[in-house]
């Protein structure tokens, strides 16, 4: 794992994590899950979550030994879990092994670890001999037994040296695709993201691990706790053709009303892309873990929203009824577009959320936060249900998380690039300010041989404000697709963001040929609308 990716996995650089002071929820008082041989099931875990939702929240931050408190990032990274002590390392034929993260840095509250054997919970206690402290300056003999773990990493028999998933910090977790690269993160739950009040970060405080008879499958259970909500989670984790697939079942029990509940929250980074170059002082042409938000609506429409690095925080909400899927994707997988031979952004996995059951009405909500460099995770997306979240109620959600280098592809042509720049006609004096949008589509009916030669393709463009002009759609054989272009002339008396929609259709019968591209553009202030007319015109 590269340095930046490890930092993100440890929660040190995650932009959202930086908003918290490092407090982690305590283990539920008197929960008793550490007793050896106690019966365990997902139903019992839900009962535990419901029980503690009716009791006051008790935050607990453990005082770490001075030697651990003083660790630098490099010394903390040097703490190694001994591979021969991994959970299930001694079990013949095991497809998975589990190693644990040590406490330190921002991780000052232990999570309790258990193994489920024949329907019974057995504790996995912390011991100093599980870790190699050489090179850290820590005298393991001075550490107390029972100090506790901070999280875990999951390894697969295809490569015992590189983890395929990691759970560490609040309710954050990540997994890899076939490239074995980490990228964006997921969370168990988001509470009041992008509101004037401080965001709340629920924590996974207990984990249970259970082997299965199914090849390449493991079960992970988690208890979630926070001042506002408790939760029971079951992760059915499969390794499928190199990708990690997680089927998630969750039961949530609020302690108090929650204004903005974020289900299946995703967190990523976007600094520079072809459409957003506000902070483009780096030598690399693009820097991002994800380049767009994809939505497959309950009505069957495919939407693509390119991400941006905005000058101010942006919040957008896309209403839907029983969505079929959404995700933060890394569609651009061309090394030449990044030129980064250290972290290889083109290998970052996409993460697709596929709801199960009836999610009802709600909205996929997108938060874009300004960032000046790639060490700050500035993108958040999640599902917010319309149903009010009140204490005493149970909220059940099921969904599949697909961590993949092969993100879902709509039947229609998909957007593969978005570029923007000054509008107008080259070689002619610009009399007013406009901004150009260039959108490339590829695949589906637009690929070679997909359309008869006599079919005319036209763009369908909608703008919430301003005027659209100089529109076109023409074949782009270099990508085996089409390029749409248009200019937007913004109002002079309104600086509000302008929402744009675009798709291509056949002129003869109106049949859509592409997914729908959606975008939000903030016109610059009047004093910054430089026409940049050359002196010779």
């Amino acid at each position: 794992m590269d340095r930046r990716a490890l930092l993100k996995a440890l929660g040190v650089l995650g932009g959202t994590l930086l908003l918290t002071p490092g407090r982690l929820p305590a283990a539920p008082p008197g929960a008793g899950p550490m007793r050896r041989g106690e019966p365990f099931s997902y139903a019992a875990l839900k009962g535990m979550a419901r029980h503690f939702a009716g009791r006051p929240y008790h935050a607990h931050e453990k005082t770490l030994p001075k030697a651990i408190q003083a660790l630098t990032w490099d010394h903390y990274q040097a703490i190694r879990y001994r591979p021969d002590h991994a959970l299930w390392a001694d079990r013949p034929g095991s497809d998975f092994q589990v190693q644990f993260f040590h406490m330190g840095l921002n991780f000052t509250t232990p999570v309790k670890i258990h193994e489920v054997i024949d329907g019974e919970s057995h504790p996995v206690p912390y011991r100093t001999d599980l870790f190699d402290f050489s090179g850290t300056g820590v005298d393991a003999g001075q550490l107390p037994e029972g100090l506790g773990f901070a999280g875990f990493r999951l390894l697969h028999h295809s490569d015992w040296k590189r983890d395929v998933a990691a759970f560490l910090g609040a309710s954050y977790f990540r997994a890899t695709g076939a490239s074995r690269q980490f990228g964006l993160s997921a969370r168990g739950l988001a509470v009041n993201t992008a509101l004037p009040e401080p965001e709340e970060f629920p924590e996974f405080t207990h984990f249970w691990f259970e082997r299965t008879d199914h090849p390449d499958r493991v079960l992970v259970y988690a208890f979630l706790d926070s001042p506002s909500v408790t939760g029971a989670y079951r992760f059915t984790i499969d390794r499928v053709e190199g990708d990690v697939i997680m089927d998630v079942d969750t039961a949530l029990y609020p302690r108090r009303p929650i204004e903005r509940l974020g289900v299946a929250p995703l967190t990523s980074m976007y600094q520079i892309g072809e459409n957003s170059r506000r902070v483009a002082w780096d030598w690399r042409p693009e820097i991002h873990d994800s380049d767009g938000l994809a939505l497959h609506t309950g009505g069957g429409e495919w939407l693509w929203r390119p991400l941006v690095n905005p000058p101010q925080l942006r919040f957008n909400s896309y209403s839907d009824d029983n969505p079929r899927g959404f995700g933060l994707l890394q569609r651009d997988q061309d090394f030449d577009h990044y030129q980064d031979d250290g972290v290889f952004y083109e290998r970052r996995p996409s993460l697709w959320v596929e709801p199960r059951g009836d999610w009802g009405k709600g909205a996929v909500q997108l938060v874009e936060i300004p960032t000046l460099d790639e060490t700050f995770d500035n993108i958040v997306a999640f599902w917010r249900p319309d149903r009010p979240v009140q204490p005493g109620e149970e909220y059940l959600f099921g969904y599949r998380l697909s961590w993949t280098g092969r993100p879902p592809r709509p039947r229609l042509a998909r957007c593969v690039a978005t570029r923007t720049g000054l509008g107008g006609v080259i070689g002619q004096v610009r009399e007013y300010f406009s901004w150009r949008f260039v959108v490339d589509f590829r695949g589906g009916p637009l690929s070679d041989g997909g359309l008869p030669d006599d079919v005319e393709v036209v763009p369908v463009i909608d703008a919430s404000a301003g005027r659209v002009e100089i529109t076109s759609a023409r074949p782009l054989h270099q990508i085996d697709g089409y390029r749409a272009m248009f200019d937007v002339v913004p109002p002079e008396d309104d600086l509000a963001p302008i929402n744009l929609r675009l798709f291509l259709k056949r002129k003869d019968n109106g049949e859509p040929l592409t997914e729908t591209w959606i975008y939000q553009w903030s016109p610059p202030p009047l004093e910054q609308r430089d026409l940049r007319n050359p002196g010779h015109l």
Side-chain angles (χ1 to χ4, degrees):
M1 189 189 305
D2 64 84
R3 179 183 175 92
R4 178 182 173 275
L6 180 59
L7 281 169
K8 289 178 66 179
L10 297 178
V12 177
L13 293 180
T16 315
L17 278 177
L18 292 176
L19 301 178
T20 67
R23 290 180 62 84
L24 302 178
M34 292 296 286
R35 292 197 296 270
R36 181 174 298 277
E38 181 174 283
F40 178 84
S41 66
Y42 182 52
L45 180 58
K46 290 194 290 184
M48 172 181 163
R50 183 190 292 273
H51 170 73
F52 282 103
R55 299 182 61 181
Y57 171 74
H58 293 279
H60 176 73
E61 187 172 5
K62 190 165 187 174
T63 300
L64 299 181
K66 292 183 179 180
I68 299 297
Q69 291 182 29
L71 287 175
T72 65
W73 180 88
D74 290 310
H75 284 153
Y76 179 77
Q77 183 187 7
I79 300 176
R80 303 289 184 182
Y81 194 89
R82 299 183 185 276
D84 57 328
H85 287 55
L87 182 64
W88 303 328
D90 59 344
R91 311 288 175 84
S94 178
D95 292 320
F96 289 94
Q97 294 180 10
V98 187
Q99 298 182 8
F100 303 106
F101 291 111
H102 201 278
M103 295 177 64
L105 291 181
N106 292 341
F107 312 109
T108 55
T109 297
V111 296
K112 288 181 167 54
I113 302 294
H114 320 76
E115 181 184 6
V116 178
I117 304 175
D118 296 330
E120 294 184 342
S121 172
H122 297 262
V124 179
Y126 167 91
R127 304 193 317 269
T128 55
D129 65 331
L130 298 176
F131 296 91
D132 179 2
F133 294 94
S134 60
T136 67
V138 174
D139 181 0
Q142 301 300 312
L143 299 180
E145 294 296 327
L147 181 61
F149 303 109
F152 71 90
R153 57 198 296 253
L154 191 65
L155 297 95
H156 185 257
H157 68 82
S158 58
D159 185 346
W160 291 125
K161 293 183 179 180
R162 294 189 295 171
D163 38 328
V164 297
F167 286 63
L168 182 63
S171 64
Y172 283 80
F173 59 97
R174 301 193 305 158
T176 66
S179 68
R180 302 302 285 262
Q181 287 276 336
F182 280 113
L184 76 169
S185 302
R187 279 190 277 170
L189 196 66
V191 175
N192 293 336
T193 303
L195 288 177
E197 64 188 69
E199 182 172 359
E200 184 177 300
F201 293 86
E203 300 283 347
F204 287 141
T205 61
H206 297 67
F207 290 105
W208 292 259
F209 302 94
E210 184 177 9
R211 299 174 68 192
T212 72
D213 295 330
H214 191 286
D216 298 322
R217 174 177 296 171
V218 65
L219 294 176
V220 178
Y221 305 87
F223 175 79
L224 178 137
D225 197 17
S226 83
S228 296
V229 64
T230 66
Y233 286 73
R234 178 175 58 196
F235 297 86
T236 304
I237 303 177
D238 289 272
R239 184 89 166 142
V240 180
E241 297 180 355
D243 293 335
V244 173
I245 308 298
M246 299 179 177
D247 285 315
V248 184
D249 292 285
T250 179
L252 303 174
Y253 304 94
R255 284 190 168 101
R256 59 193 185 194
I258 298 175
E259 181 176 351
R260 182 175 291 163
L261 184 73
V263 177
L266 316 178
T267 301
S268 192
M269 182 276 297
Y270 185 97
Q271 180 190 346
I272 307 169
E274 64 234 353
N275 60 298
S276 182
R277 306 198 57 78
R278 183 179 62 86
V279 294
W281 45 68
D282 194 277
W283 65 271
R284 294 163 293 177
E286 296 193 40
I287 302 172
H288 51 76
D289 285 335
S290 307
D291 54 9
L293 169 68
L295 304 98
H296 191 193
T297 71
E301 185 179 19
W302 284 88
L303 305 176
W304 175 251
R305 165 57 154 80
L307 299 175
V308 299
N309 180 1
Q312 295 90 27
L313 184 146
R314 282 187 180 178
F315 179 86
N316 282 274
S317 187
Y318 303 100
S319 297
D320 202 359
D321 189 353
N322 277 314
R324 302 186 186 185
F326 68 93
L328 292 174
L329 310 186
Q330 184 78 317
R331 279 187 175 175
D332 190 344
Q333 299 176 344
D334 189 332
F335 170 81
D336 188 55
H337 294 176
Y338 302 92
Q339 287 296 321
D340 193 320
D341 58 349
V343 299
F344 298 100
Y345 283 111
E346 77 281 359
R347 299 179 187 174
R348 302 302 195 191
S350 298
L351 180 50
W352 183 248
V353 181
E354 185 178 353
R356 299 200 317 267
D358 184 358
W359 277 28
K361 294 183 178 180
V364 175
Q365 300 189 325
L366 174 68
V367 181
E368 296 166 300
I369 305 170
T371 186
L372 296 179
D373 63 42
E374 64 203 282
T375 61
F376 184 85
D377 278 1
N378 62 321
I379 305 296
V380 185
F382 51 82
W383 171 258
R384 180 192 180 185
D386 277 355
R387 177 185 172 190
V389 180
Q390 299 292 334
E393 297 291 326
E394 179 185 58
Y395 299 84
L396 303 177
F397 294 94
Y399 52 94
R400 169 169 288 186
L401 297 176
S402 298
W403 306 77
T404 177
R406 303 178 295 273
R409 295 188 176 187
R411 177 184 59 82
L412 301 172
R414 68 192 187 283
C415 176
V416 295
T418 301
R419 298 176 176 87
T420 72
L422 188 62
V425 178
I426 296 176
Q428 297 183 17
V429 175
R430 297 182 181 91
E431 302 291 345
Y432 50 85
F433 178 85
S434 64
W435 201 247
R436 175 153 298 174
F437 295 86
V438 181
V439 184
D440 293 345
F441 294 94
R442 180 175 62 202
L446 295 184
S447 59
D448 282 345
L451 287 176
D453 293 338
D454 60 348
V455 169
E456 183 178 355
V457 175
V458 294
V460 179
I461 305 167
D462 180 69
S464 63
R467 182 177 77 252
V468 175
E469 62 182 20
I470 316 180
T471 65
S472 66
R474 57 180 182 266
L476 188 61
H477 298 296
Q478 290 82 352
I479 67 166
D480 189 19
Y482 264 70
R483 170 168 289 175
M485 298 177 65
F486 62 96
D487 287 2
V488 175
V489 182
E492 292 190 359
D493 57 351
D494 190 356
L495 298 181
I498 298 175
N499 294 308
L500 304 169
R501 291 174 62 94
L502 160 73
F503 68 93
L504 302 184
K505 70 174 184 180
R506 292 179 55 143
K507 186 177 181 179
D508 56 355
N509 60 16
E511 178 186 352
L513 300 171
T514 71
E515 65 183 359
T516 301
W517 172 91
I518 56 178
Y519 202 78
Q520 188 175 72
W521 174 58
S522 295
L526 292 178
E527 64 273 14
Q528 296 179 17
R529 299 183 183 184
D530 191 341
L531 301 183
R532 301 190 183 277
N533 283 314
H536 68 277
L537 294 179

